[in-house]
Amino acid sequence: MLGVLLLVFSLVALAHAELCRPDAQNAFKVRLSIKTALGDNAYAWDASEEYLFKAMVAFAMRRYSNKETTQISNVLLCNMTERVSFWFVVTDSSKNVTTVPGSEVEAAIRMNRNRINSAFLLTDNTLQFLKISSTLSPPIEPTVPVWLIVFSVVLCLVGAGILFLVLSGIRQRRKNNNESAENGDLEDKCDTPVTTENGIPCDILDLKTGRINGVYTADDERFTPL
Amino acid sequence: MEKSRPLWDNPLQFVFACISYAVGLGNVWRFPYLCQMYGGGGFLIPYIIMLIVEGMPLLFLELAVGQHMRQGSIGAWKIISPYLSGVGIASVVVSFFLSMYYNVINAWAFWYLFHSFQDPLPWASCPLNSNHTGYDEECEKTSSTQYFWYRKTLNISPSIEENGNIQWEQAVCLILAWLLVYLCILRGTESTGKVVYITASLPYFVLIIYLIRGLTLHGAVNGLIYMFRPKIEQLANPKTWINAATQIFFSLGLGFGSLIAFASYNEPNNNCERHAIIISLINSSTSIFASIVTFSIYGFKATFNYENCISKAILLLTNYFDLEEGALTADNLDSMKDYLTSTYPNEYAALLPQIKNCSLEAELDTAVQGTGLAFIVYSEAIKNMEVSQLYSVLYFIMLLMLGIGSMLGNTAAILTPLTDSKFISTHLSKEMISGIVCFINCIVGLVFTMEAGNYWFDIFNDYAATLSLLLIVLVETIAVCYVYGLKRFEKDLHLMIGHKLNWYWKIMWAFASPVLIISLFVFYLTDYIRTGTLQYQAWDATQGQLVTKDYPSYALAVIGLLVAASTMCIPLGAFIIFIMKRLKRNVSTLE
């Protein structure tokens, strides 16, 4: 009797060993980086944590398939290393000694990734399922890009400044023209004094010969060429 | 009597305008590179020697010419000798080329500034690929900051032949940059004089903040030690001296006509000798100051990358050999590597290609200059600082101020001769002339916003101003010393500044500076001829790095045109005046 039990037990163990091997079919490698994630608050990885892991995977399978057939004993872990990495498979309790297809396990884990991560206080980066790529969440895009908003603000400020300066320049020039037309006198303005000669503004006496400083440019023309 | 010329409100505005013009992006992104390449702390020796021998005399010369002649570059040189009006025109042409492409840098600074108001910064991480399973392919091969620069900002094409479309985002930033420049120059010295208070002083505030922040960063000391460790043997390298001379020359902005334009708005008795010394000293010390900041940033970035590299290697080994977490640290990495090699030789050999050798020296050795330094290296360092948005905003505002300050000088060089000309100023108002110049420059500048625009930018940056300026300044120096007469000039200066001219200036102007410029000119020509075909760096998206390519023939033609357009003005101007005088003489003898 004892012998039969031992035989059955060893057969089961052997079967399990066959099912859960590195690179076995439908097996996944898991890697945890607890110290990286939690630093001083890191917990030690022991048998209870393994039990929790099995429970979470079973929970994920149950949620995914909506049947309540997966038991904790269906999840097999093997090749535990110091890294804290190991392989696991999920066996199918209904069919004897076979594993659940990898695609199902992958889909189940994906669906419940957040729950599994939070059970261990880890993230997608620190609790890695090596063949299951996590869907990265895209950054939140506001409806109007931020840069356009800042750009429009600056553009409006600059535009307003230009408009103000141009209009005030036009107004000043119109005032200048009006006043010089009325008085016809010399008026001292800050930027453009209008000089007069005999009461007539020199701008009107705009003769070419009268305005070029002939000292330098006409130097060689004053003398008869040889 | 002429309409009185607008003046600066006080001499301080003039000094600030010159500082704002001279202290530009070159001080920040070119000098640290030269320092690193040519001997670290030892580079300061040729730099200071060149400053005293070349920079101060030439700067004094230009300021004196402008202040005495009280005209823009065309008018000033026409007064010295009518045959030299070509020099003035050449200056205007070079300034025109410069303003066409320089404002694109301001557009990029605006782009980065606007993007700094996000958390996290957009260049801090790679964007996701289309099915959200990983990061974008191109971004994975290179870094997120390079990706943001080459793809998101420039959207660069693989080569100069593929022009692509105009990037509307860059185009609107360019238009904004030109509007800002227009706002600053539209009233002439009245508005420019107020703006330069800000554009000259703000960069210093930001540099001081960055100095304090930079020196307190982890690993900054590595960069500083690396930079200031003098490699005296570089002093024997002629390239060191040539680059020192070139840097002084271009950093002061000689030959563009901007300094002449600024000085022409001075009071006639302004002490331009003292101002020349002050401006050149401030310009050089700003370069040194900026390189201290840059090298502490370099040190931080290099240390950060080095430590990242080590962590990646540790992670790779830990995962591959399933070792306990924390078994491998930075300290025991080498001994553990040896242990692993001996225990698992096969597996280790298989893993070997993936493990990169991390070296702090290699990280520090990556010398970068130009837009790469300003936009890639700095943004990479900024994204790793705390409160990165604040530092990013500060930094890009500083870049903007530096760029706008230089643009004010460039546009002044173009506008002053135009507003001095009787013909144009009677028909168009100052605002209209400024507006037309800005508009034309903006339209041409849209070329640089195309996908291949950065390659054209590099062409303009490397060739539009270099040879022509050397020639222009050479002709200027010879003209003042030998055509106008050094004695005559000395007398004019005595009247202006009130004391006799020091013999030092006379010797420099008459002999030292022309000799120096001629040797620089000869060196550049022989360098161009020796390298044969010109090449450029193109971005290869598939590899995620720059590759060297040859310029196509039409690009070479454009380069030739750029150089010829400005240099030919000098002989052409003389020739045309000669012909006109000949005709006039013939006409008058016929009568």
Side-chain angles (χ1 to χ4, degrees), chain B residues 14 21 55-69 71 73 76-77 87 91 249 252-264 272 276 469 472-474 476-477 480 489 496 509:
Chain B
F14 165 65
Y21 166 67
M56 286 189 199
L58 290 174
L59 181 64
F60 183 25
L61 183 75
E62 285 221 359
L63 291 183
V65 166
Q67 190 172 307
H68 181 57
M69 308 301 171
Q71 295 263 304
S73 52
W77 297 110
V87 175
S91 287
F249 188 87
L252 286 171
L254 304 163
F256 284 102
S258 317
L259 294 163
I260 297 181
F262 280 152
S264 70
C272 51
L469 280 182
I472 291 174
V473 176
L474 180 65
E476 283 183 3
T477 324
V480 169
F489 195 58
M496 275 205 301
W509 289 340

Side-chain angles (χ1 to χ4, degrees), chain B residues 73-312:
Chain B
S73 52
I74 298 183
W77 297 110
K78 203 186 282 189
I79 293 177
I80 292 203
S81 159
Y83 293 104
L84 288 178
S85 42
V87 175
I89 297 179
S91 287
V92 172
V93 170
V94 173
S95 292
F96 195 69
F97 288 152
L98 189 81
S99 57
M100 266 197 260
Y101 78 83
Y102 201 83
N103 222 11
V104 180
I105 305 175
N106 289 331
W108 293 331
F110 264 128
W111 170 262
Y112 270 81
L113 177 66
F114 297 149
H115 278 87
S116 306
F117 290 96
Q118 296 174 12
D119 181 32
L121 292 172
W123 53 84
S125 58
C126 281
L128 304 175
N129 59 15
S130 40
N131 52 2
H132 288 188
T133 50
Y135 294 115
D136 184 284
E137 207 182 299
E138 188 181 351
C139 196
E140 287 273 288
K141 297 218 176 72
T142 168
S143 65
S144 54
T145 41
Q146 284 192 306
Y147 176 78
F148 188 76
W149 170 245
Y150 285 111
R151 191 53 48 213
K152 284 289 158 75
T153 309
L154 301 174
N155 197 13
I156 204 164
S157 61
S159 75
I160 198 171
E161 286 106 344
E162 297 155 56
N163 272 326
N165 307 319
I166 292 185
Q167 306 300 305
W168 70 266
E169 298 98 342
Q170 298 306 313
V172 294
C173 286
L174 181 66
I175 293 175
L176 176 64
W178 273 110
L179 284 176
L180 184 60
V181 169
Y182 182 56
L183 176 65
C184 299
I185 62 173
L186 86 94
R187 281 294 190 80
T189 49
E190 193 187 312
S191 49
T192 310
K194 312 272 187 320
V195 172
V196 292
Y197 282 133
I198 306 173
T199 59
S201 45
L202 191 66
Y204 287 100
F205 287 133
V206 178
L207 275 175
I208 290 176
I209 295 176
Y210 259 87
L211 183 71
I212 300 174
R213 176 77 265 233
L215 289 178
T216 54
L217 283 172
H218 166 65
V221 187
N222 293 334
L224 286 175
I225 294 176
Y226 182 77
M227 167 184 161
F228 281 113
R229 198 187 321 134
K231 305 179 198 67
I232 298 288
E233 64 273 7
Q234 285 286 347
L235 284 181
N237 183 359
K239 275 201 164 213
T240 310
W241 294 88
I242 289 172
N243 275 304
T246 315
Q247 173 63 12
I248 290 278
F249 188 87
F250 290 120
S251 172
L252 286 171
L254 304 163
F256 284 102
S258 317
L259 294 163
I260 297 181
F262 280 152
S264 70
Y265 298 119
N266 268 340
E267 302 272 346
N269 58 352
N270 185 40
N271 189 350
C272 51
E273 180 186 14
R274 184 156 29 111
H275 287 157
I277 298 177
I278 293 176
I279 293 167
S280 47
L281 278 177
I282 290 183
N283 183 44
S284 295
S285 13
T286 310
S287 291
I288 299 174
F289 183 43
S291 61
I292 296 180
V293 175
T294 305
F295 273 94
S296 38
I297 302 276
Y298 261 165
F300 166 67
K301 167 177 124 52
T303 311
F304 188 85
N305 285 347
Y306 171 69
E307 288 174 357
N308 249 14
C309 178
I310 298 253
S311 318
K312 275 207 192 110

Side-chain angles (χ1 to χ4, degrees), chain B residues 471-492:
Chain B
L471 192 62
I472 291 174
V473 176
L474 180 65
V475 174
E476 283 183 3
T477 324
I478 295 178
V480 169
C481 289
Y482 300 108
V483 175
Y484 189 74
L486 193 54
K487 288 227 176 328
R488 195 168 153 204
F489 195 58
E490 194 185 337
K491 243 181 271 175
D492 296 334

Side-chain angles (χ1 to χ4, degrees), chain B residues 24-25 102-103 106 398-408:
Chain B
L25 294 164
Y102 201 83
N103 222 11
N106 289 331
M398 177 186 83
L399 279 191
L400 255 181
M401 292 296 113
L402 290 173
I404 297 277
S406 302
M407 279 305 294
L408 293 179

Side-chain angles (χ1 to χ4, degrees), chain A residues 29 31 33-36 81-83 85 135-136 138 147 150-151 155 161-162 165 168-169 173 216 220, chain B residues 79 111 114-115 128 132 134 169 172 176 179 182-183 187 318-319 322-325 429 431 488 581:
Chain A
K29 183 165 182 184
R31 187 187 291 148
S33 311
I34 308 174
K35 285 205 192 112
T36 318
T81 66
E82 280 182 343
R83 174 72 178 82
S85 68
T135 318
L136 301 162
W147 78 271
V150 189
F151 167 77
L155 186 65
I162 292 177
L165 281 181
S168 67
R173 205 167 298 130
Y216 294 112
D220 53 348
Chain B
I79 293 177
W111 170 262
F114 297 149
H115 278 87
L128 304 175
H132 288 188
E169 298 98 342
V172 294
L176 176 64
L179 284 176
Y182 182 56
L183 176 65
R187 281 294 190 80
T318 316
N319 286 344
D322 283 320
L323 305 166
E324 194 187 332
E325 262 185 296
S429 67
E431 289 91 343
R488 195 168 153 204
K581 286 212 184 320

